[in-house]
Amino acid sequence: MRRKKLTLRRASDHFFTYLALIVMSAVFLFPCLWLILASLSKTGSLYDFKGFFPQAFSFQTFIDLFSDDVNGLYPYKTWFFNTLYVSSVSCILGTILVLLTGYVMSRFRFKGRDTIKKTTLILGMFPGFMGMTAVYIIMTQLGLINRLESLIFLYAATTPVGYMVQKGYFDSIPNTIFEAARLDGATNLEIFTKITLPLSKPMIVYTVLTQFAWPWSDVLLPKLLLKERDTWTVAVGLFNLPETHFARFAAGSVFIAIPIVILYFCLVKYIVNGLTAGSVKG
């Protein structure tokens, strides 16, 4: 009888657990489904929707996205390559800087180390938009307005502040490995490149993806610093589309999301391992 009660209780727990997961999945997936269907709207206008969904469907919007820039007003192809350029270069520079910062803070003891840790933690509590006015003034003085390089500089320069996850991962590597390498005469650079990095594949993948995804989807900094239409990123360009081109907006959003979604699904194991291992120690 007791076993039967336990079985019924377990079955009810599973039922309500799966029910909650299904409801949550539906809540999160419905906007994605709606955006995909909206991108296939034949008329392209938000006002022609019947309820939540378009009345007629067509793939023409995706074709026009790259073939028709509406007399130069919406050059999606240019915006896409601008975004790819900024994200790729920022990802490379930012990954190098944040990994070096995390490694130094993990393996070296020096004066002011604790002060730096406390300062970066405090700075991380403040939202990024608080410094937008100062950023704009500095970029203006440096002549970097309407330059994609200004975004690369800002994205790469601010990434070392978020080094704590990388530091936590490096802390989880046994110190005996590094001591043995030093006894064999390895330099700090050799230890980092030949020992630490090969043992940190999950963290490197996690760092690369996060550093790539941030500039790929960010709209705040590009909208602040890029004023000319040909220098916009996809996020800024889509933000400025009118309601009559809503299908173009939806198609552009779907297309720009596809690379990130594919990367996350292919590398989700490394992302989870890197994030969880980096959260063990702080």
Side-chain angles (χ1 to χ4, degrees):
M1 189 69 180
R2 185 178 180 183
R3 182 179 298 177
K4 186 176 180 180
K5 288 182 179 179
L6 288 173
T7 304
L8 289 173
R9 183 177 179 181
R10 184 177 300 174
S12 62
D13 287 344
H14 288 174
F15 172 77
F16 286 109
T17 300
Y18 283 111
L19 180 63
L21 290 174
I22 291 172
V23 172
M24 292 174 61
S25 300
V27 170
F28 283 102
L29 289 176
F30 179 78
C32 300
L33 176 62
W34 179 80
L35 188 67
I36 293 173
L37 293 177
S39 67
L40 299 173
S41 173
K42 188 173 183 178
T43 60
S45 175
L46 182 62
Y47 299 108
D48 292 332
F49 280 36
K50 185 178 181 180
F52 284 106
F53 305 107
Q55 299 184 37
F57 298 93
S58 173
F59 284 99
Q60 188 61 39
T61 305
F62 283 94
I63 298 173
D64 293 340
L65 197 64
F66 287 94
S67 61
D68 181 17
D69 61 2
V70 193
N71 297 322
L73 293 177
Y74 310 117
Y76 186 86
K77 188 187 300 184
T78 301
W79 298 342
F80 179 82
F81 284 109
N82 288 345
T83 308
L84 183 62
Y85 168 64
V86 171
S87 300
S88 300
V89 180
S90 301
C91 173
I92 295 172
L93 296 178
T95 299
I96 294 173
L97 290 175
V98 75
L99 287 177
L100 287 173
T101 304
Y103 179 74
V104 169
M105 295 298 292
S106 172
R107 293 299 167 184
F108 293 89
R109 301 295 181 267
F110 51 89
K111 187 176 181 181
R113 177 175 176 271
D114 291 336
T115 303
I116 294 175
K117 287 176 60 177
K118 294 176 183 178
T119 303
T120 52
L121 287 173
I122 293 173
L123 290 176
M125 299 178 183
F126 296 96
F129 66 82
M130 291 183 62
M132 288 300 167
T133 302
V135 168
Y136 183 80
I137 293 174
I138 292 173
M139 292 296 106
T140 302
Q141 296 296 323
L142 294 176
L144 293 176
I145 299 297
N146 289 321
R147 296 278 301 274
L148 296 175
E149 288 73 19
S150 63
L151 293 177
I152 295 172
F153 172 77
L154 286 172
Y155 289 133
T158 54
T159 50
V161 179
Y163 70 91
M164 291 301 295
V165 175
Q166 287 75 16
K167 174 187 176 299
Y169 189 92
F170 294 141
D171 287 343
S172 66
I173 301 176
N175 194 47
T176 53
I177 297 176
F178 301 100
E179 292 176 351
R182 289 191 181 94
L183 289 175
D184 290 337
T187 63
N188 288 324
L189 181 60
E190 289 174 336
I191 293 174
F192 177 70
T193 57
K194 296 181 179 180
I195 297 177
T196 305
L197 292 184
L199 293 174
S200 307
K201 186 177 180 180
M203 175 52 59
I204 294 173
V205 173
Y206 164 78
T207 304
V208 168
L209 286 177
T210 52
Q211 296 304 319
F212 185 83
W214 176 28
W216 186 262
S217 58
D218 183 38
V219 67
L220 192 59
L221 275 177
K223 187 168 179 60
L224 177 72
L225 300 177
L226 305 177
K227 304 302 180 182
E228 296 179 0
R229 192 176 295 269
D230 289 339
T231 63
W232 287 353
T233 60
V234 169
V236 179
L238 296 179
F239 183 83
N240 286 276
L241 285 175
E243 294 175 349
T244 53
H245 287 79
F246 184 77
R248 183 183 289 262
F249 168 85
S253 301
V254 170
F255 187 85
I256 201 68
I258 289 175
I260 295 295
V261 172
I262 293 175
L263 285 174
Y264 270 93
F265 272 108
C266 293
L267 303 172
V268 64
K269 179 179 70 174
Y270 298 107
I271 299 172
V272 174
N273 290 342
L275 184 59
T276 54
S279 302
V280 174
K281 298 181 179 180

